[in-house]
Amino acid sequence: MNKSLPEADMLQHLHSAIPGIAWPAIPNPVGANILALLQQLEQSQWCSPETLLDRQLAQFGMLAAYASHHSPFFRTRFDQAGLDVNQPWSVASHAKIPLLTRAELMQAAAQINCRAVPREHGAIHEVQTSGSTGQMISVLRTEATQLFWLALAMRDHLWHRRDFSASLAVIKALTPSMDDPSVAARIG
């Protein structure tokens, strides 16, 4: 078995989406996006804690402004915490946001979910928890959030040095859209 870096193992198992080109492989659009995210995550692990925090707070600021504009629940949540979502975020201001509880998520999903999602984020899909606690939770995800999930799952496989030439069994619930192979291939 090749004991090289897991990223090198992954690269040798890439399949090209273009017939007649094996190496270097040209992945399909979903694969290319996942590889781009993996590269950024790989580079980010070498950033200083301050740089990571700056990037996280900047991203959170964009998310908070959007949620405040499109989610009645989060608009109220930010207002009640005395936060102006248009101001730069800090660890202290972020800490003022009360944690979202399971009960709130179950009772106020219609107010929590944003009324509009950027077109570029792709289609919206509902996903559910298994209900192992006796209460199933439904949330919405987009094709963009699915890409992040896939990249983080791949990163987990790389960290654990899983053999990409071997079989992998996964037990998970599928959304109805995943029953359509063309949708599953497009969104991963």
Side-chain angles (χ1 to χ4, degrees):
M1 182 175 173
N2 184 354
K3 296 294 183 190
S4 62
L5 293 173
E7 294 83 359
D9 290 342
M10 179 189 72
L11 293 176
Q12 75 181 357
H13 293 287
L14 281 178
H15 295 281
S16 186
I18 299 178
I21 299 177
W23 186 87
I26 300 175
N28 66 23
V30 171
N33 284 330
I34 292 169
L35 286 172
L37 288 170
L38 283 171
Q39 176 64 24
Q40 291 175 72
L41 292 169
E42 174 70 22
Q43 293 302 311
S44 73
Q45 73 185 5
W46 306 111
C47 292
S48 69
E50 297 80 19
T51 298
L52 282 175
L53 181 60
D54 288 346
R55 290 178 182 177
Q56 291 168 337
L57 290 173
Q59 179 60 50
F60 182 76
M62 294 171 66
L63 177 64
Y66 195 88
S68 180
H69 186 71
H70 294 283
S71 166
F73 178 90
F74 283 110
R75 183 177 318 109
T76 300
R77 189 69 148 231
F78 294 134
D79 288 347
Q80 288 175 342
L83 297 167
D84 179 353
V85 296
N86 297 309
Q87 294 299 311
W89 285 86
S90 66
V91 172
S93 60
H94 186 267
K96 290 181 182 179
I97 306 168
L99 294 177
L100 180 65
T101 67
R102 182 181 195 92
E104 287 174 318
L105 187 54
M106 292 178 69
Q107 295 167 359
Q111 287 73 43
I112 291 172
N113 293 332
C114 287
R115 302 278 193 258
V117 174
R119 182 180 49 80
E120 297 82 5
H121 286 226
I124 300 169
H125 301 276
E126 183 178 56
V127 293
Q128 298 176 332
T129 64
S130 64
S132 61
T133 64
Q135 299 174 317
M136 190 179 322
I137 299 289
S138 294
V139 296
L140 300 179
R141 69 160 176 81
T142 65
E143 293 176 20
T145 57
Q146 178 68 1
L147 279 173
F148 282 108
W149 186 90
L150 290 169
L152 292 170
M154 178 58 77
R155 192 160 167 81
D156 179 66
H157 294 314
L158 292 169
W159 279 345
H160 288 93
R161 296 186 171 270
R162 295 195 176 107
D163 183 353
F164 289 101
S165 65
S167 296
L168 174 69
V170 176
I171 300 172
K172 69 176 196 170
L174 294 178
T175 60
S177 65
M178 295 305 281
D179 292 335
D180 180 344
S182 64
V183 172
R186 189 178 81 246
I187 66 174

